[in-house]
């Protein structure tokens, strides 16, 4: 089961997501913010208040919006992370 374990607001409507299998990826959600629940997130100050709901295993916002973690997993651009500065 795909679950999100970490989220970082990068800039604008871009998030960096960490998944339970260790995958890390970036996604820009600018084109996804339509409809009753998501249009309020066009306000970057609200969008940036994204959090991980550990019970749901996905990202949520204060207005009750959330996204399917499996869809996000498929859509992210993978990011290579290294704990070794020499490898960067």
């Amino acid at each position: 089961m795909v679950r999100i374990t970490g989220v970082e607001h990068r800039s604008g409507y871009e998030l960096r997501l960490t998944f339970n299998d260790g995958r890390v990826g970036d996604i820009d959600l600018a084109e996804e913010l339509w409809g009753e629940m998501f249009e309020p997130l066009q306000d970057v100050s609200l969008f940036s208040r994204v959090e991980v709901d550990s019970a749901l295993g996905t990202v949520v916002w204060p207005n009750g919006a959330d996204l399917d973690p499996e869809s996000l997993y498929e859509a992210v651009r993978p990011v290579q992370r290294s704990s070794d500065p020499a490898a960067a």
Side-chain angles (χ1 to χ4, degrees), residues 2-58:
V2 174
R3 298 180 62 82
I4 295 173
T5 60
V7 63
E8 175 189 345
H9 175 245
R10 304 284 288 166
S11 67
Y13 305 106
E14 187 169 305
L15 302 177
R16 177 160 289 171
L17 303 174
T18 303
F19 295 88
N20 60 330
D21 67 354
R23 183 177 189 177
V24 177
D26 292 340
I27 189 165
D28 188 337
L29 296 172
E31 300 298 318
E32 307 303 319
L33 303 179
W34 52 271
E36 185 176 338
M37 287 302 291
F38 294 99
E39 284 178 10
L41 299 178
Q42 292 175 5
D43 176 349
V44 175
S45 66
L46 179 59
F47 183 85
S48 68
R49 293 173 56 195
V50 64
E51 298 179 346
V52 173
D53 182 313
S54 58
L56 296 175
T58 194

